Amino acid sequence: MRYSRSHDVMQRVLLITTSYFVLAYSLYFLFAGHNNPGGGFIGGLTTACALAFIYLVFDRDTANEYIRFTFPALISIGLVLSLGTGAIGFFANDNYLTQYFDYFEIPFFGEVELTTALPFDLGIYFVVVGAAMVIMLTIADDEKEENEN
Amino acid sequence: MSLLHWIILIPFLAAFFIPLLGRMFPRIHTGWFVLFIPLALVMVTWISYSSLMADGETILSIVPWVPMLDINFSVYLDGLSFLFTLLITGIGALVVLYSIYYLDKKKERLQDFYVYLLMFIGAMLGVVLTDNVIVLYVFWELTSLASTLLIGFWFIRDKSIFGAQKSMLITVFGGFAMLGGFMLLYIMTGTFSIREMIGDVDVIMNHPMFLPAMILVLLGAFTKSVQFPFHIWLPDAMEAPTPVSAYLHSATMVKAGIYLVARMTPIFGGSSEWFWIILITGLFTLFWGAISALRQKDLKGVLAFSTISQLGLIMALLGAGSAALYAQDPDLEVMYAGAIVTAMFHLINHSTFKGSLFMVVGIVDHETGTRNLQKLGGLMAVMPVTFTVSAVGLAAMAGIPPFNGFISKEMFFANMVELMELPFFGMGDWAIIIPIVAWTASVITFIYCAFMFYKTFMGKYDRQNYWVDVHEASPGLLLSPILLGILVIVLGLFPNILTQTLIHPSVTSILTGVSVELEPYNLTLWHGFEIELFMSIGVVAVGVIAFLYHRKWTRWEIYNKERDVMNLFYDQGIDKLQDGSAAITRVQMTGRLRDYFMYMLVFIVALLAVTMWRSGQFQALPEGLATTMDTPLYMYGVMLILVGSAAVLPFIQSRITFIISIGVLGLMVSLFFTIFSAPDLALTQLLVETVLLIVLMLAFRHLPEMTKEPKSRSYTTVNVLIAASVGALVTMVSISAYALRLDLDFTAISDFFIENAVPLGGGYNIVNVTLVDFRGFDTVLEALVLGIVALAVIMLIKHRFKGGEDI
């Protein structure tokens, strides 16, 4: 990634501020997905954008200090989560990937719908974030190595 | 889940835990833990089922697997399965015991070995116990896989890898053909269950696909049971550790083909094709194997070819016995059923004497460091126990009384002589050739047994010939071959002990179609002065004479050709296959992105054009176009920007401008989605555009300067042509799709989703409910693809060759 080495304060502040909003929006997309526009895929891509901003502002080493994820591992975690949620169907003698939902009365929040689709979507979210970041960072690191050589 | 299911599954479950146990107790040989499993299985099987089998009962238990496709994990136990189950678990226990002393605890990868072995035991039990042909196929291929892994166990040797690959290619080819045969049977009968197929045997018999189905199934059986010309993999499989050769490549796995033929006899038997194909292949294999075994200089090579030969014998007997299903005459039925009795009896006998011989050869190899017949000699004095066990095994194989091989060989002669009297299947006077071939092969068998005996144990013991100090093997190593040797003698002296529980039930389960009630066959060592006795005497006499004069004929050139000529086809075939696929790859993989796009686009255009033309949609286009006339004016504006930004792309010189133009294109598409009220799609499109922009920017510096290379006119023309036809066709498809929806009263599938999103999925966002619920499987697999792409990017970028590496 072409990390900005300049100390352009305005750019920095703007991008950091934006990335907060984008991150918040991405979580909203993820959780609202079942009833409003959004979902795991959209949420994941939005998060990836926000993270990419952070990597753009700081150089890679600084960003890595704050974002301590091994993104390839995130992909596996997401896949296991999605495939595992699907396996719930087995125990209830239904087909694989049958999703369940019900409405619960929770204090303070009122009636809330809880679904197995959420962990499933969360898995998709992880895979998307992981894959997008892996692709971006790998290409960016490659450039760095080349410059070093 | 019945006990039988667990019998199949326990070895697989054990395969998970054995490596852990091996880690936890590094000082104990892993084999001791494994030994418990086949031992327990053989006891459980015998105790639970032997009395049931003797009463002629059968057991069926079904566990649904994919019930929609009629694939069930159904187990079925009858006499035939029972015989094989005991053989697999019984010999398995002895082989594991033997391997504990054969494989060094410190030097070998024991965990791997026993995991493969347990996988094989489970798979083989699955083959013989299941009633569903698809399940049978799965287990069948698993045995091939286990066999390959075990042949390649010492994978540092090139020959091991060669042998493993060869066995894999040949047996998997056969397995695949067999699957085709099963599919044809399914088309005929509509079931995958073997018992239900047997019930529908009239339909199968009169079906035009009868012969193809039969040949495909036989291909599976013949490749597995090393029948000519597929036998060539077995000699190369001898690179496996000796316990594996004794177990898989002599006693059990190569008998899976025999099992399949026996199991399919009620379905295909009773036709002349079945009878002749199996009989001739079997007899020829018997003969070919025997003359090849004679020429081998390696002890295991001799045993490999003799296994081929003996399996040919059993196969020929099964072919001969199938005549009983055709004969309507009770006397003939009983007479030809005798061949099946012999086949089953010899199956047991062969496992005992060949198993012990393999183990003994392993001991000789282990103690002397060589298996070469020309180097060995004089071991009788040094290894007396090994010598005694070998003598018993070789005598049984050569057909000398009072060992079990003698009885089955006599019965085999009798069966072959009886074939001459067959009143149907076009049998004529020339049939005398059948007993002659059988007899000649037996003479050769006698000679190579004599060779093995003489060259290994007789003569003078010369210390100089060996690398190591030769002495008798440890008692643990000797225990298994001794036990098998005792079985050889016991079965020779009291052949009837297994008739009631093993042989008779298996014969009745093979010959379900005969009209008479078969009586248990009385096996005796002494037959009286019948023709087969004189044939046996002739075998010994001619064999001894030929052996005495062996110094004359061993000088012939043909005697010294060790390698089977049929290998030529395999070697050539493999070479040609590699060259051919390399040539195809070279033509197709040019390394230019433009060519790959061309393949894809041309294919899409062709596919769409053919489909449109065949369904008459080209004619309906003007009508369709008319329905799109009421487009609002602002749509034309959006469209203009879209088309404009696409049209300028070919003329842009700078990359930055290029990327921006593509961005405009993407934004316009997203605008379209918004106009048609698809917020999810619009959002996704926007995000994809953003991420794509970042990735493009990142890759930017890697790309070379965009230089306009002068392109030839034809190159440009082809590009323009393809681009134009793709655009035109996709437009036409959309117009006709739109028109069709209005014209004909199609119910769009979206109605289902709209109606059911809330009641079934519990969500108001239809797109998301579709993704996570109705089409969850698609989504999961797409996520998987995404993960693979990410890994591929890492592989391509981080692990690419930078030049100068040692590949």
Side-chain angles (χ1 to χ4, degrees):
Chain A
M1 200 171 291
R2 214 170 155 212
Y3 308 107
S4 72
R5 290 190 187 80
S6 65
H7 295 274
D8 187 333
V9 178
M10 283 313 286
Q11 184 198 35
R12 230 179 175 172
V13 170
L14 192 66
L15 276 177
I16 291 173
T17 323
T18 321
S19 69
Y20 278 120
F21 284 104
V22 177
L23 259 181
Y25 245 102
S26 76
L27 289 179
Y28 166 75
F29 279 145
L30 170 67
F31 288 106
H34 215 46
N35 293 315
N36 292 307
F41 191 79
I42 295 174
L45 278 178
T46 319
T47 308
C49 281
L51 293 178
F53 283 160
I54 297 172
Y55 274 91
L56 279 171
V57 176
F58 302 103
D59 65 290
R60 187 186 56 155
D61 296 334
T62 322
N64 274 347
E65 264 177 45
Y66 293 100
I67 306 171
R68 295 192 177 186
F69 284 127
T70 327
F71 289 108
L74 202 62
I75 299 177
S76 344
I77 293 170
L79 276 177
V80 170
L81 195 59
S82 288
L83 293 170
T85 315
I88 295 173
F90 282 143
F91 299 106
N93 252 342
D94 277 322
N95 284 329
Y96 186 60
L97 282 172
T98 308
Q99 309 284 11
Y100 304 92
F101 65 93
D102 209 343
Y103 299 89
F104 296 94
E105 202 68 43
I106 292 176
F108 186 66
F109 288 103
E111 197 188 57
V112 170
E113 183 194 6
L114 291 181
T115 69
T116 55
L118 186 66
F120 179 83
D121 230 9
L122 193 68
I124 303 294
Y125 171 86
F126 282 153
V127 174
V128 172
V129 173
M133 290 316 288
V134 162
I135 293 171
M136 282 194 265
L137 293 180
T138 314
I139 295 177
D141 284 353
D142 186 48
E143 183 190 353
K144 195 172 174 236
E145 274 166 31
E146 250 171 48
N147 289 346
E148 280 163 5
N149 289 341
Chain B
M1 296 284 268
S2 68
L3 177 63
L4 285 170
H5 284 103
W6 286 111
I7 287 178
I8 300 174
L9 292 178
I10 278 171
F12 287 111
L13 293 177
F16 280 106
F17 295 110
I18 290 301
L20 297 179
L21 284 173
R23 288 274 157 74
M24 274 163 67
F25 306 100
R27 283 198 285 165
I28 305 171
H29 196 289
T30 318
W32 289 114
F33 303 115
V34 181
L35 178 63
F36 176 70
I37 289 152
L39 211 57
L41 288 180
V42 73
M43 283 179 188
V44 165
T45 317
W46 179 262
I47 291 167
S48 329
Y49 301 114
S50 60
S51 55
L52 280 176
M53 290 301 121
D55 296 343
E57 287 182 37
T58 59
I59 296 164
L60 177 73
S61 166
I62 299 174
V63 170
W65 183 16
V66 194
M68 273 184 281
L69 300 176
D70 191 31
I71 297 171
N72 297 307
F73 188 14
S74 50
V75 289
Y76 178 68
L77 187 78
D78 62 359
L80 185 63
S81 316
F82 184 60
L83 168 63
F84 270 90
T85 308
L86 286 181
L87 210 61
I88 295 158
T89 48
I91 307 266
L94 291 177
V95 163
V96 171
L97 178 65
Y98 176 77
S99 72
I100 293 171
Y101 294 94
Y102 188 83
L103 292 172
D104 193 286
K105 186 167 63 182
K106 296 199 183 69
K107 287 184 210 142
E108 309 287 357
R109 296 168 295 121
L110 290 180
Q111 264 83 327
D112 293 12
F113 181 82
Y114 286 112
V115 167
Y116 301 157
L117 201 69
L118 282 170
M119 186 170 103
F120 169 75
I121 294 177
M124 193 67 204
L125 287 172
V127 167
V128 299
L129 282 174
T130 184
D131 181 54
N132 192 291
V133 287
I134 297 296
V135 179
L136 189 150
Y137 169 75
V138 171
F139 282 125
W140 181 277
E141 297 291 35
L142 255 182
T143 62
S144 293
L145 182 66
S147 155
T148 305
L149 289 169
L150 285 167
I151 296 170
F153 181 64
W154 286 315
F155 53 78
I156 308 162
R157 303 182 192 168
D158 283 344
K159 280 176 101 178
S160 290
I161 296 294
F162 176 78
Q165 190 194 28
K166 192 171 181 180
S167 80
M168 180 86 165
L169 286 174
I170 295 177
T171 51
V172 169
F173 153 75
F176 212 57
M178 185 182 83
L179 181 65
F182 290 159
M183 289 300 153
L184 287 180
L185 283 174
Y186 180 73
I187 291 167
M188 292 180 220
T189 60
T191 173
F192 282 127
S193 158
I194 298 173
R195 281 169 322 102
E196 285 169 30
M197 282 177 191
I198 293 172
D200 270 352
V201 70
D202 296 335
V203 180
I204 300 173
M205 277 292 200
N206 299 317
H207 201 277
M209 282 309 204
F210 173 77
L211 199 57
M214 189 181 99
I215 289 171
L216 286 172
V217 171
L218 280 182
L219 269 178
F222 284 176
T223 47
K224 200 81 162 181
S225 279
V226 290
Q227 300 298 298
F228 186 89
F230 305 111
H231 64 281
I232 47 172
W233 66 265
L234 194 64
D236 286 306
M238 291 297 128
E239 290 299 323
T242 303
V244 174
S245 307
Y247 189 36
L248 270 72
H249 304 129
S250 143
T252 53
M253 190 190 82
V254 287
K255 294 208 170 83
I258 304 279
Y259 168 80
L260 187 72
V261 169
R263 185 50 89 208
M264 291 285 156
T265 298
I267 298 176
F268 295 111
S271 67
S272 63
E273 294 93 344
W274 178 263
F275 174 82
W276 282 118
I277 292 177
I278 296 179
L279 181 67
I280 292 174
T281 313
L283 279 175
F284 193 77
T285 311
L286 165 68
F287 188 72
W288 185 272
I291 53 170
S292 305
L294 191 56
R295 295 188 307 218
Q296 298 301 308
K297 310 291 181 288
D298 177 9
L299 274 175
K300 271 179 106 174
V302 179
L303 289 182
F305 276 106
S306 100
T307 303
I308 292 168
S309 165
Q310 301 281 323
L311 287 172
L313 186 153
I314 300 174
M315 202 58 105
L317 282 168
L318 285 177
S322 74
L325 289 172
Y326 185 85
Q328 301 298 328
D329 180 4
D331 289 342
L332 286 177
E333 283 180 347
V334 171
M335 184 154 108
Y336 294 115
I340 303 278
V341 176
T342 317
M344 290 301 117
F345 188 48
H346 194 68
L347 187 84
I348 302 170
N349 294 345
H350 179 249
S351 297
T352 55
F353 68 69
K354 193 54 69 64
S356 79
L357 279 177
F358 262 111
M359 289 178 186
V360 167
V361 164
I363 291 173
V364 169
D365 188 14
H366 205 257
E367 302 301 326
T368 65
T370 181
R371 298 195 307 251
N372 194 326
L373 276 174
Q374 278 148 344
K375 280 191 192 155
L376 289 165
L379 291 182
M380 183 167 84
V382 197
M383 306 169 81
V385 183
T386 313
F387 162 75
T388 315
V389 177
S390 320
V392 170
L394 286 169
M397 187 152 80
I400 295 172
F403 305 109
N404 58 6
F406 171 73
I407 304 174
S408 43
K409 187 152 282 190
E410 291 250 294
M411 289 161 70
F412 168 63
F413 284 153
N415 298 135
M416 291 299 120
V417 172
E418 279 163 2
L419 273 186
M420 292 194 296
E421 299 158 23
L422 197 70
F424 41 85
F425 289 162
M427 189 69 83
D429 286 340
W430 52 269
I432 184 98
I433 200 166
I434 295 173
I436 289 178
V437 168
W439 184 80
T440 320
S442 295
V443 172
I444 302 171
T445 309
F446 183 90
I447 300 171
Y448 70 69
C449 289
F451 257 99
M452 265 183 83
F453 181 72
Y454 184 83
K455 294 236 170 169
T456 316
F457 295 105
M458 294 299 169
K460 211 169 145 289
Y461 174 67
D462 189 356
R463 175 75 187 77
Q464 307 274 305
N465 279 345
Y466 305 103
W467 290 97
V468 288
D469 192 20
V470 183
H471 49 77
E472 184 57 274
S474 66
L477 204 55
L478 283 166
L479 188 58
S480 298
I482 289 174
L483 285 174
L484 283 172
I486 290 172
L487 261 181
V488 169
I489 300 172
V490 169
L491 282 176
L493 294 175
F494 312 103
N496 277 321
I497 50 170
L498 294 178
T499 314
Q500 200 64 37
T501 43
L502 280 181
I503 296 174
H504 183 63
S506 62
V507 171
T508 45
S509 57
I510 296 170
L511 296 174
T512 49
V514 292
S515 55
V516 288
E517 184 87 4
L518 291 171
E519 289 296 316
Y521 201 90
N522 194 29
L523 308 167
T524 46
L525 194 60
W526 174 249
H527 281 66
F529 290 102
E530 297 283 340
I531 184 164
E532 54 263 31
L533 185 68
F534 296 114
M535 284 169 86
S536 288
I537 294 171
V539 166
V540 176
V542 177
V544 168
I545 293 167
F547 181 72
L548 288 177
Y549 286 96
H550 76 268
R551 285 189 205 289
K552 284 228 162 72
W553 51 264
T554 47
R555 266 185 246 131
W556 297 350
E557 199 181 333
I558 184 154
Y559 174 75
N560 289 313
K561 277 192 180 143
E562 257 190 272
R563 199 165 154 77
D564 201 306
V565 284
M566 299 311 287
N567 278 312
L568 205 67
F569 292 101
Y570 176 80
D571 297 341
Q572 292 276 330
I574 285 289
D575 284 351
K576 291 272 157 25
L577 192 70
Q578 279 173 353
D579 291 351
S581 27
I584 291 173
T585 312
R586 267 197 305 277
V587 169
Q588 172 205 1
M589 307 296 275
T590 55
R592 277 192 304 246
L593 211 51
R594 181 236 181 198
D595 288 347
Y596 302 150
F597 264 107
M598 204 168 77
Y599 301 148
M600 287 193 271
L601 294 176
V602 167
F603 183 74
I604 292 170
V605 166
L607 202 68
L608 281 180
V610 169
T611 317
M612 293 273 285
W613 182 72
R614 281 184 56 169
S615 54
Q617 286 304 310
F618 280 125
Q619 292 84 333
L621 274 183
E623 256 180 82
L625 207 56
T627 60
T628 60
M629 278 305 148
D630 51 350
T631 318
L633 199 60
Y634 67 90
M635 284 299 277
Y636 286 102
V638 179
M639 216 114 73
L640 203 66
I641 304 173
L642 191 75
V643 173
S645 60
V648 295
L649 285 177
F651 305 101
I652 293 173
Q653 303 288 337
S654 126
R655 251 204 191 96
I656 291 270
T657 331
F658 196 88
I659 291 172
I660 292 171
S661 291
I662 291 185
V664 172
L665 209 65
L667 290 181
M668 283 302 127
V669 172
S670 138
L671 188 61
F672 266 111
F673 287 142
T674 321
I675 292 169
F676 289 113
S677 48
D680 279 272
L681 291 187
L683 253 174
T684 314
Q685 177 73 25
L686 271 177
L687 286 163
V688 167
E689 283 301 324
T690 317
V691 175
L692 194 68
L693 193 74
I694 297 176
V695 173
L696 276 177
M697 286 306 190
L698 290 173
F700 202 66
R701 303 190 90 206
H702 298 282
L703 300 172
E705 278 297 303
M706 241 168 93
T707 44
K708 272 279 171 204
E709 292 164 33
K711 296 273 160 47
S712 71
R713 185 167 283 276
S714 62
Y715 183 93
T716 325
T717 322
V718 170
N719 278 4
V720 168
L721 220 62
I722 291 173
S725 51
V726 171
L729 256 174
V730 172
T731 314
M732 287 187 227
V733 168
S734 355
I735 291 173
S736 77
Y738 187 68
L740 265 183
R741 195 187 63 151
L742 297 181
D743 273 7
L744 307 168
D745 216 14
F746 273 134
T747 14
I749 49 167
S750 56
D751 289 346
F752 171 82
F753 295 126
I754 293 168
E755 276 165 28
N756 290 309
V758 178
L760 291 181
Y764 289 91
N765 179 355
I766 299 165
V767 176
N768 189 265
V769 170
T770 310
L771 282 178
V772 297
D773 202 325
F774 296 137
R775 295 264 175 228
F777 212 59
D778 292 356
T779 312
V780 164
L781 291 186
E782 276 157 21
L784 197 64
V785 170
L786 210 59
I788 293 168
V789 168
L791 290 182
V793 169
I794 296 180
M795 285 300 291
L796 283 173
I797 290 179
K798 288 208 172 149
H799 302 276
R800 71 177 161 215
F801 293 117
K802 297 191 174 77
E805 287 99 336
D806 189 13
I807 302 169

